[in-house]
Amino acid sequence: MTTDFTLEELQSATRNHGMPLEALAYTTTPVGMHYVLTHFDTPRVDPEAWRLEVDGRVARALCLSLEEVRSRPRVSQQVTLECAGNGRARLTPRPRSQPWLDEAVGTGEWTGTPLGPLLQEAGLLDEAREVLFTGLDRGEQGEIVQWYQRALSAADSLRPEVLLAYEMNGVPLPPQHGFPLRLIVPGWYGMTQVKWLHRITVLDQPFWGYQQNVFYRIARDEDDPGVQLTRMYPRALMVPPGIPVFETRERLLSLGHQRLQGRAWSGWGGIIRVEVSTDAGQHWQLAALEPPAAPHAWQAWSLDWEAGEGRHELLCRATDAAGNAQPLEPQWNLKGVANNAVQRLVVQVRRDLDSSS
Amino acid sequence: MTTDFTLEELQSATRNHGMPLEALAYTTTPVGMHYVLTHFDTPRVDPEAWRLEVDGRVARALCLSLEEVRSRPRVSQQVTLECAGNGRARLTPRPRSQPWLDEAVGTGEWTGTPLGPLLQEAGLLDEAREVLFTGLDRGEQGEIVQWYQRALSAADSLRPEVLLAYEMNGVPLPPQHGFPLRLIVPGWYGMTQVKWLHRITVLDQPFWGYQQNVFYRIARDEDDPGVQLTRMYPRALMVPPGIPVFETRERLLSLGHQRLQGRAWSGWGGIIRVEVSTDAGQHWQLAALEPPAAPHAWQAWSLDWEAGEGRHELLCRATDAAGNAQPLEPQWNLKGVANNAVQRLVVQVRRDLDSSS
């Protein structure tokens, strides 16, 4: 693993932020602890002037105020979101972008109105193929000046769990999470969850855009068209046990009984198995696994461990109902996306720490 | 400026987070955009079991529930907080700790009860010299296992603006900002603002602690006892104009009129002057400066600028009523604290950008 991080990477890392892993203790991640990745700037939106436009290949274009969106049928669901770039900083050579380690995740209680009925009200024409979502965030990436844009197939757009969300954890969306309205597509990586949404355009042909066709792909090299990212691959993370060393983030534990615990999720189906190793991967044990609190939310796991004195390397890995499992080593790709290699955590078990640590 | 950031620095940068500078547009920083620096882990506190202990050299030790703290006289004040390490990543050689650039700042609306009357109720004994504040966050730093602790002189503790805060921006403290109770000492750097506060101990001699006597000092080298940090030195920051380039965070602007704006603050008195340079420091202009919204909150400034085509380096600098001004170049010290060198922002003014950018 290379460690020569650049100023450009640091600039991204101090702006965006991960979920401190101790926040895995919360079923719903508090605002400010949930991960945030903003490609450009967080726009400041006047909710009075804001409108949601629905146009393109529809029978009736719509233009809705925030009050009109909020007066539609209201649904709340707990959804785990993860950045597609989570794990990027562990790749060698390292693709240059936001340098996440393991922490680009969070679970919010998202409240909004289902997208499908709104599209049905507008009336998709027969030739409708994709639905394009445009945010109010604008900047240059890959030498292209752009509004942030992502598209879904018409069929995916009509899935019942897809929401236009205006609240997070029971309060209006914070600015950094997309105020006043964002898309929530449960199970999909974060790049899909368009923030500061203000336009929905129904297209009769596939959308081409930087964030769709250039960046968020699993590709070997520049010449490989690769595969578009959609759903999250499985990952398990552990609440770092004991207390941290500030400088290294290694963990110090007292001797004896420890309950190791964490969360696991996948966009491809429920998690069916979480395994934990306390000896750097030589042996694995099955963790106890709870059902998810909601269909698209992470699942809690735990394992009791008798911690002996000395240094231990703790690992955890998840397998989902579709048969996807986490690799032990990172799988490199050009943009550094979807690296769901297992988490590795170094702990020092020390006789001199009292049990309150 | 060196740019070989280490994995340890990146780990800190992805956990802690700065205020994205576009949030300078808000008088009160939204939760989740305010900077956060946590030395150890964010504790998860049960508010029912939590108590505030007041003990040591007092006539009557106190033990208060959260409801008892909340039922005391209630005060709200807008306060600008800044991490003492802001600017550390711009020093050469770079002291190893949280690698902030310019963004470790924020202004909250803090609500709580004044500390002074509570200390008076406990009754400071004649020999009282300092008041020690202990948080529930614990870890190892500088090879010392410690609870996070900071002390103030008895006189500073009794200042009327010093608060025990239980709300931020009108809601209970978010976990990462110190739930259920934190200290707010307006004007002082962030290390003073003890989070997850649970014990206040009145001492008859000066406190010695890692965070007081080792880390948060301005010192030349390990042998220099140096000077303890207290109040924030002045700083002005600019809302980055135009739109960003994702990879470099440089700014792209359209040709013509721009209103440059930002905020400035100091813990030593009001800001009396903000100057702006649009030519890398060759010439300076006085910005229009607003009074602060509250005695310890930042002040808005603005300057109109006709942006000509090409590359420009924008700078801003503040001077406070006590005569402190920002240096043009960083002033190195051992721990990388209090580096308030002026912000420098590179913008590319381009004829081909439409004015909506």
Side-chain angles (χ1 to χ4, degrees):
Chain A
M1 182 172 168
T2 53
T3 60
D4 54 325
F5 296 94
T6 65
L7 176 63
E8 286 67 30
E9 290 177 297
L10 182 70
Q11 287 177 156
S12 292
T14 56
R15 271 182 64 76
N16 296 305
H17 66 94
M19 184 188 75
L21 292 187
E22 65 269 28
L24 288 163
Y26 298 89
T27 307
T28 301
T29 313
V31 171
M33 299 188 92
H34 194 291
Y35 97 90
V36 174
L37 186 286
T38 306
H39 282 247
F40 305 125
D41 287 357
T42 296
R44 189 170 183 182
V45 181
D46 173 0
E48 297 298 318
W50 175 91
R51 291 293 181 275
L52 176 65
E53 307 273 354
V54 183
D55 58 14
R57 309 307 295 159
V58 293
R60 292 163 295 282
L62 304 176
C63 176
L64 302 175
S65 70
L66 185 56
E67 275 320 297
E68 287 169 322
V69 174
R70 293 183 63 108
S71 67
R72 299 181 65 89
R74 178 183 171 94
V75 174
S76 289
Q77 55 180 330
Q78 205 182 39
V79 177
T80 297
L81 299 182
E82 182 183 17
C83 184
N86 204 8
R88 177 180 292 121
R90 301 204 185 277
L91 297 175
T92 305
R94 196 169 59 257
R96 290 298 153 89
S97 182
Q98 169 72 28
W100 295 122
L101 295 162
D102 305 301
E103 62 290 298
V105 66
T107 296
E109 175 81 18
W110 301 97
T111 298
T113 194
L115 173 62
L118 195 141
L119 290 177
Q120 281 154 354
E121 188 177 319
L124 299 194
L125 299 182
D126 287 348
E127 63 267 32
R129 288 188 55 181
E130 291 198 351
V131 181
L132 175 64
F133 301 89
T134 304
L136 286 163
D137 42 334
R138 186 168 190 235
E140 183 181 288
Q141 190 175 356
E143 301 185 353
I144 298 171
V145 173
Q146 59 193 283
W147 300 98
Y148 189 86
Q149 291 187 310
R150 288 277 308 180
L152 286 174
S153 72
D156 282 329
S157 300
L158 293 167
R159 292 179 67 93
E161 70 269 24
V162 175
L163 282 193
L164 300 177
Y166 44 76
E167 290 181 10
M168 177 190 186
N169 299 0
V171 297
L173 288 185
Q176 71 275 18
H177 287 291
F179 180 85
L181 196 73
R182 73 176 299 175
L183 186 63
I184 292 289
V185 183
W188 289 51
Y189 279 118
M191 76 282 161
T192 313
Q193 326 288 337
V194 177
K195 292 178 279 193
W196 314 292
L197 181 65
H198 79 117
R199 184 175 294 271
I200 297 174
T201 309
V202 178
L203 305 176
D204 60 5
Q205 52 187 339
F207 168 68
W208 190 97
Y210 181 83
Q211 307 294 347
Q212 193 94 18
N213 302 79
V214 181
F215 196 82
Y216 286 110
R217 301 184 80 86
I218 302 181
R220 288 186 308 277
D221 54 44
E222 296 287 358
D223 296 327
D224 175 12
V227 178
Q228 280 193 21
L229 284 170
T230 59
R231 295 178 177 276
M232 301 180 290
Y233 292 100
R235 189 189 298 271
L237 290 176
M238 187 184 303
V239 177
I243 60 172
V245 177
F246 176 74
E247 294 87 353
T248 62
R249 298 306 302 173
E250 280 193 2
R251 310 297 301 189
L252 307 181
L253 267 75
S254 55
L255 216 56
H257 178 260
Q258 295 284 340
R259 171 153 290 187
L260 302 178
Q261 52 191 328
R263 310 269 175 185
W265 66 93
S266 167
W268 299 95
I271 294 295
I272 56 164
R273 188 164 60 246
V274 171
E275 296 155 288
V276 175
S277 171
T278 57
D279 58 5
Q282 293 180 65
H283 302 87
W284 294 86
Q285 285 178 270
L286 271 184
L289 184 63
E290 293 179 20
H296 299 283
W298 54 21
Q299 295 172 237
W301 60 263
S302 62
L303 181 81
D304 290 321
W305 177 46
E306 287 299 316
E309 201 164 0
R311 182 186 185 280
H312 305 270
E313 191 176 339
L314 310 183
L315 284 67
C316 54
R317 69 175 175 200
T319 302
D320 69 21
N324 300 298
Q326 291 185 253
L328 288 174
E329 298 299 332
Q331 319 267 292
W332 191 89
N333 60 69
L334 185 68
K335 298 298 182 186
V337 289
N339 172 18
N340 66 334
V342 296
Q343 179 190 17
R344 292 167 186 268
L345 236 159
V346 173
V347 303
Q348 300 281 356
V349 179
R350 283 181 11 187
R351 195 173 289 276
D352 63 329
L353 282 179
D354 64 50
S355 61
S356 71
S357 10
Chain B
M1 181 173 167
T2 54
T3 61
D4 54 326
F5 296 95
T6 65
L7 175 63
E8 285 69 30
E9 290 177 298
L10 182 70
Q11 288 176 156
S12 293
T14 57
R15 271 182 65 75
N16 296 306
H17 66 94
M19 183 188 75
L21 293 187
E22 65 268 29
L24 287 163
Y26 298 88
T27 308
T28 301
T29 313
V31 172
M33 299 188 92
H34 194 289
Y35 96 92
V36 174
L37 186 285
T38 307
H39 281 248
F40 305 124
D41 286 358
T42 297
R44 189 170 184 182
V45 181
D46 173 1
E48 297 298 318
W50 175 91
R51 292 291 181 275
L52 177 66
E53 308 272 355
V54 182
D55 58 14
R57 309 307 295 158
V58 293
R60 292 164 295 280
L62 303 176
C63 175
L64 302 174
S65 70
L66 186 55
E67 273 322 296
E68 287 169 322
V69 174
R70 291 183 65 106
S71 68
R72 298 180 66 89
R74 179 182 171 94
V75 173
S76 290
Q77 55 179 328
Q78 205 181 40
V79 177
T80 297
L81 299 182
E82 182 184 16
C83 183
N86 205 7
R88 177 180 292 121
R90 300 205 185 277
L91 297 174
T92 304
R94 196 169 58 256
R96 291 297 153 89
S97 183
Q98 168 72 29
W100 295 123
L101 295 162
D102 304 301
E103 63 289 299
V105 66
T107 296
E109 175 82 16
W110 302 97
T111 298
T113 194
L115 172 62
L118 194 142
L119 290 177
Q120 282 152 353
E121 188 177 319
L124 297 194
L125 298 182
D126 286 349
E127 63 266 33
R129 288 188 56 181
E130 292 197 350
V131 181
L132 175 64
F133 302 88
T134 304
L136 286 163
D137 43 334
R138 186 167 190 234
E140 182 181 288
Q141 190 174 357
E143 302 184 352
I144 298 171
V145 173
Q146 57 193 282
W147 300 98
Y148 190 86
Q149 291 187 309
R150 288 277 308 180
L152 286 173
S153 72
D156 282 328
S157 301
L158 293 167
R159 292 179 66 94
E161 70 270 22
V162 175
L163 282 193
L164 300 177
Y166 44 75
E167 289 180 11
M168 177 189 185
N169 298 0
V171 295
L173 288 186
Q176 72 275 18
H177 286 291
F179 180 84
L181 195 73
R182 73 176 300 175
L183 186 63
I184 292 288
V185 183
W188 289 52
Y189 279 117
M191 77 280 162
T192 313
Q193 325 288 337
V194 177
K195 292 179 279 195
W196 312 293
L197 181 65
H198 79 118
R199 185 176 293 271
I200 298 174
T201 309
V202 178
L203 306 176
D204 60 4
Q205 52 187 335
F207 168 68
W208 190 97
Y210 181 83
Q211 307 295 347
Q212 193 94 19
N213 301 80
V214 181
F215 196 82
Y216 286 110
R217 301 183 79 86
I218 302 180
R220 286 186 309 276
D221 54 45
E222 297 288 359
D223 297 326
D224 176 12
V227 177
Q228 280 194 20
L229 284 170
T230 59
R231 294 178 177 275
M232 303 180 290
Y233 292 99
R235 189 189 299 271
L237 289 175
M238 187 183 304
V239 176
I243 60 172
V245 178
F246 175 73
E247 294 86 354
T248 62
R249 300 303 304 172
E250 280 193 4
R251 311 298 300 188
L252 306 182
L253 267 75
S254 55
L255 215 56
H257 178 257
Q258 296 284 340
R259 170 153 291 186
L260 303 178
Q261 52 191 326
R263 310 268 175 185
W265 66 93
S266 166
W268 299 95
I271 295 294
I272 57 165
R273 187 164 61 246
V274 171
E275 296 156 287
V276 175
S277 171
T278 57
D279 58 5
Q282 292 180 64
H283 303 88
W284 294 86
Q285 285 179 271
L286 269 185
L289 183 64
E290 292 179 21
H296 299 284
W298 53 22
Q299 294 172 237
W301 61 262
S302 63
L303 181 80
D304 290 321
W305 178 44
E306 286 300 317
E309 201 164 1
R311 181 185 187 279
H312 305 269
E313 190 176 340
L314 310 183
L315 285 65
C316 54
R317 68 175 175 199
T319 302
D320 70 20
N324 300 298
Q326 293 184 251
L328 289 175
E329 298 299 331
Q331 321 266 292
W332 192 90
N333 60 69
L334 185 68
K335 298 298 182 186
V337 289
N339 171 19
N340 67 333
V342 296
Q343 179 191 17
R344 292 167 186 269
L345 236 160
V346 173
V347 303
Q348 300 281 356
V349 178
R350 285 183 7 189
R351 194 172 291 275
D352 63 331
L353 282 179
D354 66 49
S355 60
S356 70
S357 14

